[in-house]
Amino acid sequence: MVLLCTFAAEAKVSMPQMFQSGMVVQRNKPIPIWGSANPGESVSVTFRKKKYETTADTQGHWRIDLLKQKAGGPYTIVVEGNSDDSSPITLDNVLVGDVWLCSGQSNIDVTIERVYPQYGKVIDEYENSEIRMFRVQTDTDTHGPKADIKPTPINWKPVNRQNAWLFSAAGYFLGREMYAKTGVPQGIIVNSVGGTPIQAWLDADTLRQYYPQEYQRTLFFQDDDMVRSLQRANMQAQNRWQKMLTDTDPGFAEGFTARDYDDSQWPLLDAFITKGGRQLSNNLTKDFRYTGSFWARQHVTIDAAHAGQKARLLVGTLYDADQTYVNGKQVGSTGYQYPPRRYTIPEGLLVAGDNALTVRFVTKGGAPHFIPEKPYKLIFDDGTEVALSPQWRGREGMRMPQCPSADAGGQNLPSVLYNAMHYPLAPYALSGMVWYQGESNTGDGYRYEQYLTHLITGWRQLWQEPDMPFVVVQLANFMDPSDSPQDTGWSQVRESQRLAAKKLPNAELACIIDLGETVDIHPLRKQEVAQRIARCFDHIIWNKKVTLSPQVTEAKVDGSSVLLTLDQPLLTDGELFEFELAGADGRFVNAKATGQGNRITVSAKGISSPKLLRYAWKNNPLRANVFGKNNLPMSPLQMEVNHP
């Protein structure tokens, strides 16, 4: 692998970004140390009083594997070349422990700042200098694997509230869980990009062999001049669109944000229950597909005791971008739909009595709306809370045409993240890998199993560890629940994740079908997610007796019923939900199920000879209640049943 790298020739010994003071290296495995030097230069690495030596090859590449080490530290690593212009590199405060690579899309990206309201005290009271965090910066490359990652601001920093604030919440909690299990230093490497498909993380050879059309997409964007032209044109179009919207929006000219603006004639609407493409309220049309700006206002009464005080304003989340104003002053803005709106109202802005809160939505397609089930309130420093009304007055600002754009490639292209962010990390020694992704591939359905199988085997091959422990985090429940059977991309991807993890050695599935949120693609319960990942690693690496989510070991037909046998007793006996059966025609209907011990009996009206069974096969199977004795949920699944 190292021979394929193309480190820039330098007149001194150098090392990749991963090697810095404070780093954690993997225990109980050889520890690869590599870098560049002058061709033919002698290079030495000194660690724990032992000196290792090698010679840089004709391309200036060198690698030394330190002997296996027990957990411990801190230690010092000194790297030296023998040329006159080489200066020693000293890496201090190096720990030996376990190193975990966490990769995927935005649910790995979700930060401690985002989940802080869920775990405030848990985060505030925890510091651990033996857990270190490393964040790989977003980068892309269409041409091929890079020798190194971009410099990153999070460089093996120890865990505390400040350092972790913008770090992956799932990664942070995984470090805590694994430290609690092992008592040895932990290194967490987070390598993820929100919104990206799995194809972006696959190597070009795999794409060329199995997915040639995907490979052609990346080849197309290898013309750097073309890409720069497209990016420049897109930026110019975006800027012009925003300027036209701002210049023509009547809200600015007529003072919609002012405290004394008369909004009494604006239609009253219940904005918390709106969803994209649905009727916004009885005052507006049913076909509320909207591009442009939309304004919403409400009035909040503040008592004299809190007038003038600083406050936090929580405006839930909303679709899509917003600028938010209090009494005519902008207190915050967010450029896209997912982040929670937590804005600070400065001292002196709130007055006793009536105050005007104004939200300007900007959408480029789809109905502007607030997301239900999120917090909407003001919070003062003394703990006093003032709830916002679920009703707002709203009116259109300026409707706009769609903003023209041209595909400029970017981070979603096949292989580009593998090339720039993943490949350069190998062969940094690891204890295991986590893959938390799939939301951007729900249009690929069952094909995702093949993608994921190639990803796991390809990454293991890159590290030359065919049995590298690997945990796949299954998609959580999301979107509106349904009482009727559904066949959706979300269920198909979940099944692909389950099957890929089942068939590959040393791979496990972390089922989180009960940890999602109806209204948020980024559920907040990341500590619980990390606990399930940690339990999977515990099972793979140290203790095969650790039980995971219940598994169906047998499914057989008994008359018109299906009898399922699980590998463990149920948490509670009784009625179970979200089961479906189908006969020879393949049409699924709702089924009744009861559980006792490690057996589940399933039957459905009108299905006399069951052929297929499904469980929790919906976007959001809220009623799914099959849990094992360890309180872990059974994975959604689809399977054939055996006839006697």
Side-chain angles (χ1 to χ4, degrees), residues 474-478 488 490-499 502 509-514 532 549-552 577-580 613-622 624-626 633-639:
Q474 196 178 43
L475 290 182
N477 51 307
F478 175 54
T488 71
W490 280 72
S491 293
Q492 293 164 8
V493 167
R494 289 189 192 112
E495 181 71 346
S496 292
Q497 292 170 324
R498 184 183 74 87
L499 294 174
K502 183 178 180 180
L509 183 77
C511 176
I512 59 169
I513 195 62
D514 58 324
R532 294 183 188 179
S549 290
Q551 303 288 319
V552 176
F577 301 99
E578 303 288 10
F579 281 91
E580 301 166 13
L613 176 142
R614 295 198 306 207
Y615 170 68
W617 196 267
K618 296 174 180 175
N619 291 331
N620 189 3
L622 272 181
N625 63 336
V626 178
M634 186 168 79
S635 168
L637 57 83
Q638 177 174 278
M639 63 191 308

Side-chain angles (χ1 to χ4, degrees), residues 492-528:
Q492 293 164 8
V493 167
R494 289 189 192 112
E495 181 71 346
S496 292
Q497 292 170 324
R498 184 183 74 87
L499 294 174
K502 183 178 180 180
K503 73 182 179 183
L504 293 172
N506 273 13
E508 289 293 351
L509 183 77
C511 176
I512 59 169
I513 195 62
D514 58 324
L515 298 181
E517 297 184 29
T518 299
V519 298
D520 199 337
I521 200 171
H522 303 123
L524 300 181
R525 296 172 63 185
K526 295 299 188 242
Q527 183 177 32
E528 291 85 340

Side-chain angles (χ1 to χ4, degrees), residues 330-386:
Q330 183 172 317
V331 296
S333 65
T334 304
Y336 65 111
Q337 71 182 91
Y338 294 116
R341 272 56 171 180
R342 302 173 188 153
Y343 300 142
T344 298
I345 301 175
E347 291 184 16
L349 185 56
L350 292 172
V351 299
D354 181 68
N355 294 263
L357 170 60
T358 311
V359 177
R360 179 183 184 246
F361 295 82
V362 175
T363 66
K364 294 184 178 179
H369 61 278
F370 294 98
I371 306 298
E373 302 176 26
K374 294 294 182 180
Y376 294 84
K377 57 189 173 182
L378 279 75
I379 306 175
F380 292 93
D381 288 345
D382 65 2
T384 300
E385 297 185 359
V386 179

Side-chain angles (χ1 to χ4, degrees), residues 1-119:
M1 188 282 297
V2 174
L3 293 178
L4 296 176
C5 294
T6 55
F7 286 109
E10 298 178 353
K12 61 180 181 180
V13 173
S14 65
M15 301 170 73
Q17 288 289 317
M18 294 296 297
F19 296 98
Q20 301 180 25
S21 292
M23 69 182 186
V24 181
V25 295
Q26 180 62 42
R27 62 172 169 157
N28 302 332
K29 288 183 178 182
I31 303 169
I33 307 289
W34 72 93
S36 63
N38 293 316
E41 182 174 1
S42 295
V43 178
S44 68
V45 176
T46 303
F47 179 67
R48 300 190 67 187
K49 299 181 180 181
K50 181 175 177 60
K51 191 171 186 177
Y52 305 75
E53 295 181 306
T54 191
T55 301
D57 66 16
T58 56
Q59 301 300 313
H61 306 142
W62 60 268
R63 169 176 168 173
I64 289 173
D65 286 0
L66 308 184
L67 295 175
K68 297 178 183 180
Q69 304 289 326
K70 293 182 178 180
Y75 303 118
T76 299
I77 295 176
V78 179
V79 181
E80 297 179 274
N82 70 341
S83 63
D84 293 338
D85 49 13
S86 286
S87 301
I89 300 172
T90 301
L91 305 179
D92 295 314
N93 193 20
V94 175
L95 300 178
V96 180
D98 292 326
V99 183
W100 312 95
L101 176 63
C102 302
S103 199
Q105 60 179 111
S106 55
N107 267 303
I108 278 285
D109 275 348
V110 167
T111 62
I112 285 294
E113 184 274 335
R114 181 83 70 88
V115 305
Y116 180 75
Q118 187 89 4
Y119 305 107

Side-chain angles (χ1 to χ4, degrees), residues 590-602:
N590 291 335
K592 291 185 177 182
T594 56
Q596 184 173 13
N598 68 334
R599 298 290 183 90
I600 299 174
T601 303
V602 187

Side-chain angles (χ1 to χ4, degrees), residues 360-626:
R360 179 183 184 246
F361 295 82
V362 175
T363 66
K364 294 184 178 179
H369 61 278
F370 294 98
I371 306 298
E373 302 176 26
K374 294 294 182 180
Y376 294 84
K377 57 189 173 182
L378 279 75
I379 306 175
F380 292 93
D381 288 345
D382 65 2
T384 300
E385 297 185 359
V386 179
L388 302 185
S389 169
Q391 289 193 322
W392 297 68
R393 293 189 181 276
R395 63 156 286 181
E396 293 185 10
M398 177 56 63
R399 285 184 181 258
M400 291 284 290
Q402 287 289 329
C403 182
S405 63
D407 186 1
Q411 62 194 31
N412 292 345
L413 283 175
S415 286
V416 295
L417 300 181
Y418 176 91
N419 291 340
M421 297 176 65
H422 186 76
Y423 180 91
L425 303 183
Y428 197 92
L430 304 172
S431 192
M433 297 174 172
V434 179
W435 180 247
Y436 192 174
Q437 190 274 347
E439 296 89 345
S440 290
N441 284 97
T442 52
D444 291 309
Y446 297 112
R447 194 181 188 193
Y448 189 84
E449 181 188 349
Q450 186 180 29
Y451 284 136
L452 183 54
T453 301
H454 285 310
L455 181 132
I456 296 172
T457 55
W459 286 16
R460 286 171 165 176
Q461 196 170 39
L462 179 61
W463 261 261
Q464 297 182 7
E465 290 194 47
D467 292 326
M468 172 79 77
F470 202 105
V471 173
V472 177
V473 183
Q474 196 178 43
L475 290 182
N477 51 307
F478 175 54
M479 294 182 281
D480 289 337
S482 172
D483 292 330
S484 302
Q486 291 179 318
D487 195 9
T488 71
W490 280 72
S491 293
Q492 293 164 8
V493 167
R494 289 189 192 112
E495 181 71 346
S496 292
Q497 292 170 324
R498 184 183 74 87
L499 294 174
K502 183 178 180 180
K503 73 182 179 183
L504 293 172
N506 273 13
E508 289 293 351
L509 183 77
C511 176
I512 59 169
I513 195 62
D514 58 324
L515 298 181
E517 297 184 29
T518 299
V519 298
D520 199 337
I521 200 171
H522 303 123
L524 300 181
R525 296 172 63 185
K526 295 299 188 242
Q527 183 177 32
E528 291 85 340
V529 172
Q531 288 168 345
R532 294 183 188 179
I533 296 171
R535 192 176 183 94
C536 289
F537 280 129
D538 194 1
H539 175 79
I540 296 171
I541 300 172
W542 298 298
N543 188 356
K544 296 295 184 182
K545 293 183 179 179
V546 169
T547 56
L548 302 176
S549 290
Q551 303 288 319
V552 176
T553 59
E554 185 180 44
K556 64 180 182 180
V557 175
D558 182 12
S560 60
S561 298
V562 175
L563 301 182
L564 301 179
T565 303
L566 306 184
D567 63 352
Q568 60 186 279
L570 294 165
L571 182 65
T572 56
D573 294 339
E575 189 174 9
L576 302 172
F577 301 99
E578 303 288 10
F579 281 91
E580 301 166 13
L581 290 177
D585 61 1
R587 296 179 60 183
F588 283 91
V589 299
N590 291 335
K592 291 185 177 182
T594 56
Q596 184 173 13
N598 68 334
R599 298 290 183 90
I600 299 174
T601 303
V602 187
S603 62
K605 185 177 181 180
I607 305 293
S608 58
S609 181
K611 303 293 184 183
L612 299 168
L613 176 142
R614 295 198 306 207
Y615 170 68
W617 196 267
K618 296 174 180 175
N619 291 331
N620 189 3
L622 272 181
R623 302 180 72 200
N625 63 336
V626 178

